[in-house]
Amino acid sequence: MGRIVLSMSMSLDGFFEGPGGDISWHRVDEELHSHFNDELRAMGAFLDGRVVHELMAAYWPTADADPASTGAEAEFAGIWREMPKYVFSRTLERADWNTTIVREVVPEEILALKARTSGDLALGGPNLAATFRRHGLIDEYRVYVHPVVLGDGKPLFPASETPEDLELTETRSFGNGVVLLRYRVTPRRPPS
C-alpha cells in the first residue's frame, strides 16, 4: 500500500502563498524542477483540490509544446498528463486529462484508494491537505522551504486541534537555497 504524501513549498515564515495568491517568490529552477519530476514520476496518482487542479490543467497539458519551456518543464507536462488524478470538488462539473472528480473526503474511501493504487499518492493544495490532516490521512510531509520571508499570506499549516508527531527522515539543500524537510508521521503515544 502506498502512502499519502503532501509536498508543498513554503516561505521561511510559513506561508504557501503571499498576499493575493502570489507565488512568484517560488525559486523553482531546473535542479529543483528535475527533483520534483523524479519524485512525482514515481507516484501512483495525484490528489488535488479544485483550485490546484484548475491551475495545473490550465498550463501543463500543452506545456511541452511551448518553445519557452525548459527541459524539466516539458518532462513534467508528460508526467502530469499521464498520471491518474483525483480532484476533490463539490462544484466541478467536468475534468479532463485522466481525472476523476471526487465530491467528499471520506476516510474509508481514501484508504481503499491507497490500497488499490500502485505507488504513493501525491496530495496537493493546502485546503485539501488540512482536511486530510484532520482525518489523519497524511503519511508523509515533504516541505520545501524557500529562502524568503513574506511577512503575510496564507499559512501552510492553519490552526488545528489535531497534533501530529513527526520523524525527520531526510533533509536536502538545493543550489538555489531551497531546503527539503521530509517527515514521516508517527503514531501518537498516549500521555504518561
Side-chain angles (χ1 to χ4, degrees):
M1 179 179 344
R3 299 163 298 165
I4 295 177
V5 177
L6 175 65
S7 294
M8 292 287 294
S9 289
M10 177 179 87
S11 66
L12 182 61
D13 53 347
F15 300 107
F16 73 89
E17 65 181 33
D22 179 33
I23 60 168
S24 64
W25 51 271
H26 285 196
R27 301 211 175 152
V28 181
D29 59 8
E30 195 75 358
E31 176 195 19
L32 185 57
H33 209 300
S34 293
H35 165 79
F36 290 157
N37 290 352
D38 291 342
E39 296 285 311
L40 294 171
R41 183 183 306 105
M43 294 291 173
F46 294 147
L47 309 174
D48 290 320
R50 180 191 54 79
V51 173
V52 169
H53 178 76
E54 288 179 338
L55 287 170
M56 300 294 277
Y59 180 72
W60 290 109
T62 59
D64 51 351
D66 182 347
S69 289
T70 67
E73 289 170 339
E75 180 183 23
F76 180 72
I79 295 168
W80 188 86
R81 272 195 309 268
E82 298 304 317
M83 185 70 63
K85 291 169 274 304
Y86 296 85
V87 58
F88 291 78
S89 172
R90 293 183 188 105
T91 59
L92 195 63
E93 295 295 325
R94 184 173 164 274
D96 296 320
W97 306 107
N98 200 14
T99 302
T100 301
I101 298 172
V102 181
R103 296 293 178 206
E104 299 286 337
V105 176
V106 178
E108 296 78 17
E109 292 175 7
I110 301 303
L111 294 174
L113 177 63
K114 276 176 60 172
R116 70 176 181 265
T117 302
S118 175
D120 292 337
L121 302 168
L123 178 62
N127 295 332
L128 183 61
T131 301
F132 271 61
R133 185 170 178 264
R134 216 174 22 257
H135 289 295
L137 294 169
I138 300 175
D139 300 302
E140 183 176 304
Y141 292 90
R142 296 177 190 170
V143 179
Y144 294 85
V145 181
H146 292 246
V148 61
V149 174
L150 297 177
D152 193 16
K154 289 188 181 175
L156 179 56
F157 298 105
S160 172
E161 295 179 10
T162 311
E164 286 183 301
D165 289 329
L166 306 174
E167 177 186 344
L168 182 65
T169 60
E170 178 186 3
T171 60
R172 178 175 172 183
S173 298
F174 296 89
N176 60 7
V178 172
V179 175
L180 164 62
L181 301 173
R182 187 173 180 166
Y183 293 96
R184 181 175 68 227
V185 176
T186 59
R188 288 199 56 83
R189 290 177 274 223
S192 317

